[in-house]
Amino acid sequence: TMKSELSPMEDRGTILANVNAPDGSTLEYTDRYAQALEKLGAPYKEFDRIFANVGNPTVSQASVVYRTVDWEERERTTLDLARELGPKTNSLPGVNAFIITPPSLGEPFRERPVNFVIQTSDSYENLNVVVRQMLDEMARNPGIVAPNVDLRLNKPELRIEVDRAKAADMGVGVDVVARALETMLGGRTVTRYKRDAEQYDVIMQTGAAGRTTPEAIEQINVRGRNDTMIPLSALVKVRESVSPRELNHFGQRRSASITPSLSPDYSLGHALHFMVQTAAKVLKAGYTTELNGTSREFRNSQGALAIVFVLALFFIFLVLAAQFESFVDPFVILLSVPLSMIGALLALKWSGGSLNVYSQIGLITLVGLITKHGILIVEFANQLREQGMEMAEAVIKAASQRLRPILMTTGAMVLGALPLAIAHGAGAETRQQIGWVIVGGMSLGTALTVFVVPTMYMLFARKEVPGANKAEAREVQPIHGPHDLIAK
């Protein structure tokens, strides 16, 4: 039932709103919605700077950055502000706008948590049909918000066909027509001039009113034979059509990437599980799926940390087996590990945490911290049994006399990790994950270990300890503590 993600979302003092206007939108259209997003953030006292970047990377895209005041000067985090701004930006008509809180671990600033790639060798038209079916299924899941697709086949364009025979008769080359269109519609730097130690570009271009409709193209004149000015309407035919904005490949196959955002209570692990199930239901033969970006890193980290966890247990087992010269005693000692995991996961769940890179590192650290309790009990019990004491009496005496050092070391560990668990401010989200794992794991693990390890020792330990001398044990004075045992 635990949420799983690559890393917890940190309060980095910045919120990003991305705007995707319909393909073919003008810069003015995109700028109008960017200004609307600026006005949405204006009433919030937590924002001290708001600025927009319009027309990058295309004229139909923009981004608005909300920069907050310092952590000490506000009560709400950027995650709380993003949850409040999200529905407002998603409801803007005419554009696809969504909120992004910058990810941690050095991921790209604009990276969204889910990046699900559909691959095929089929045509882009058929791929687009499959993608639309995926989007329809995703729309039924309230945890997935504002999905975006990089496959767009309806970007408007103008196809200009030159009548080459007529142009040749009038002495106009095709390159002349192309240069005229480039200059008058797209703009061209023709020279530069300096003034007051500043250099300025001189750009030639038709005024905005003369390049807003397809009919404006036919009003452009080019110079023909004998310097005659010839309108382009006599040389070209303008036809409106649509084309793909971009055609992407992933793994050398045609692909489309679906990148949605997630609601606050919906984890990355649950989202990817839903996407895989939906793809299995929607995709037909010849289509495969892959992950990219944060989703790919999340999948790889899960497998890598699981291997590290198993190797940590195996390494500790081998070291203890060499120390105790037994395979049973290390097994009894390592039984304390699952007990500590229960406490760690409960503390993580109750504190609102998740399974991520930081909490899993804490779990691996906990393996080494909790096994020392079992080592203290088992080692002391073996020493007492070598002196001739019966198993039950030795275990009870070892557990009772080792209780004080166990509690002291546990208290030191818990109190040392408590500042991490209750941390606030910059980067507190990641520190809290490790802190609660150690606090919960050491607390509950210790409470259970002092009962379970002696019990398991009674069940699994060797009935006879090599080197025990029962005859001599009757003459041994009672052992009241570790110091007496060392003196003996």
Side-chain angles (χ1 to χ4, degrees):
T1 60
M2 288 290 298
K3 297 190 299 182
S4 56
E5 55 189 352
L6 178 62
S7 61
M9 298 302 298
E10 296 180 345
D11 184 350
R12 304 183 67 182
T14 303
I15 298 177
L16 177 68
N18 269 355
V19 180
N20 288 319
D23 290 324
S25 302
T26 62
L27 193 63
E28 291 76 14
Y29 182 92
T30 309
D31 182 58
R32 184 165 68 250
Y33 283 95
Q35 293 182 18
L37 288 173
E38 291 181 23
K39 293 179 181 178
L40 284 178
Y44 291 86
K45 61 181 181 180
E46 290 86 357
F47 299 140
D48 62 347
R49 285 161 288 173
I50 302 175
F51 59 95
N53 180 13
V54 184
N56 183 28
T58 66
V59 294
S60 61
Q61 294 177 287
S63 59
V64 179
V65 179
Y66 306 93
R67 185 69 181 175
T68 64
V69 297
D70 290 337
W71 289 268
E72 297 79 7
E73 302 177 20
R74 52 187 168 92
E75 298 179 356
R76 293 191 292 180
T77 65
T78 54
L79 303 181
D80 297 330
L81 296 171
R83 293 189 185 103
E84 188 173 330
L85 276 174
K88 298 178 181 179
T89 57
N90 295 336
S91 61
L92 281 178
V95 294
N96 180 16
F98 51 89
I99 292 292
I100 295 178
T101 50
S104 54
L105 294 178
E107 301 158 34
F109 192 78
R110 298 172 180 266
E111 183 76 27
R112 303 180 80 176
V114 178
N115 194 329
F116 196 77
V117 184
I118 301 177
Q119 302 169 282
T120 184
S121 299
D122 204 351
S123 64
Y124 282 104
E125 289 74 15
N126 294 336
L127 176 60
N128 186 57
V129 173
V130 173
V131 170
R132 297 303 160 188
Q133 294 174 355
M134 284 284 297
L135 294 178
D136 292 340
E137 294 291 335
M138 293 167 59
R140 302 174 185 175
N141 189 341
I144 295 180
V145 181
N148 186 43
V149 183
D150 63 356
L151 179 62
R152 299 184 181 180
L153 304 179
N154 56 351
K155 179 182 179 180
E157 70 175 12
L158 297 176
R159 291 185 176 271
I160 302 175
E161 300 177 358
V162 181
D163 189 337
R164 294 176 177 270
K166 187 179 294 185
D169 293 341
M170 296 183 179
V172 180
V174 177
D175 59 327
V176 176
V177 175
R179 177 57 64 90
L181 291 172
E182 175 193 1
T183 303
M184 305 305 287
L185 301 181
R188 183 161 60 94
T189 301
V190 293
T191 187
R192 297 181 177 87
Y193 77 95
K194 292 183 179 180
R195 181 178 180 181
D196 298 333
E198 296 289 339
Q199 181 171 284
Y200 301 89
D201 293 334
V202 179
I203 301 175
M204 182 181 296
Q205 188 182 43
T206 302
R211 48 187 170 88
T212 55
T213 61
E215 290 74 16
I217 295 177
E218 300 179 351
Q219 306 301 321
I220 299 175
N221 295 323
V222 294
R223 193 178 300 277
R225 188 176 289 111
N226 300 325
D227 292 338
T228 304
M229 301 305 295
I230 302 171
L232 286 184
S233 58
L235 302 176
V236 301
K237 293 181 180 180
V238 180
R239 180 167 55 90
E240 297 186 34
S241 65
V242 295
S243 66
R245 186 182 70 176
E246 57 186 21
L247 297 176
N248 294 307
H249 290 73
F250 191 89
Q252 299 181 352
R253 301 180 68 191
R254 295 169 180 170
S255 67
S257 298
I258 304 175
T259 54
S261 296
L262 302 178
S263 61
D265 299 327
Y266 202 64
S267 67
L268 177 58
H270 292 153
L272 293 180
H273 180 69
F274 170 79
M275 295 293 290
V276 171
Q277 287 186 326
T278 304
K281 181 172 60 175
V282 172
L283 300 186
K284 52 186 180 180
Y287 287 79
T288 59
T289 62
E290 189 55 86
L291 300 178
N292 198 14
T294 301
S295 301
R296 191 184 187 93
E297 294 294 332
F298 168 75
R299 182 189 62 185
N300 295 339
S301 67
Q302 295 293 305
L305 286 172
I307 295 175
V308 171
F309 188 83
V310 173
L311 290 177
L313 290 175
F314 182 68
F315 180 75
I316 291 177
F317 180 83
L318 292 181
V319 171
L320 293 178
Q323 178 181 351
F324 286 92
E325 298 180 353
S326 167
F327 290 110
V328 177
D329 291 345
F331 173 75
V332 173
I333 293 172
L334 289 179
L335 287 176
S336 60
V337 173
L339 306 178
S340 65
M341 295 299 153
I342 296 174
L345 295 177
L346 285 176
L348 204 59
K349 186 176 180 62
W350 291 339
S351 63
S354 63
L355 282 175
N356 53 69
V357 172
Y358 297 98
S359 59
Q360 289 173 342
I361 290 175
L363 291 175
I364 295 173
T365 305
L366 194 60
V367 174
L369 296 178
I370 198 66
T371 51
K372 67 180 182 58
H373 297 345
I375 294 174
L376 290 174
I377 296 175
V378 172
E379 175 69 15
F380 197 22
N382 288 343
Q383 292 177 0
L384 294 176
R385 292 180 63 195
E386 289 176 0
Q387 300 299 322
M389 191 175 293
E390 294 295 332
M391 179 185 292
E393 185 181 358
V395 170
I396 294 174
K397 191 174 186 65
S400 60
Q401 291 195 4
R402 290 306 194 191
L403 180 61
R404 179 182 294 179
I406 288 175
L407 294 180
M408 291 177 64
T409 54
T410 298
M413 291 291 180
V414 170
L415 293 177
L418 195 59
L420 293 177
I422 60 176
H424 295 284
E429 294 81 3
T430 54
R431 297 198 298 273
Q432 289 173 356
Q433 306 287 317
I434 300 179
W436 281 117
V437 165
I438 296 177
V439 169
M442 291 297 295
S443 300
L444 185 61
T446 300
L448 297 178
T449 296
V450 294
F451 296 102
V452 174
V453 169
T455 304
M456 293 299 104
Y457 185 87
M458 289 288 297
L459 292 176
F460 296 107
R462 290 172 292 181
K463 303 306 179 184
E464 297 292 337
V465 178
N469 190 341
K470 296 184 178 180
E472 183 182 353
R474 287 191 296 268
E475 302 176 1
V476 176
Q477 297 298 323
I479 298 176
H480 299 289
H483 299 288
D484 294 339
L485 180 62
I486 295 174
K488 173 67 176 64

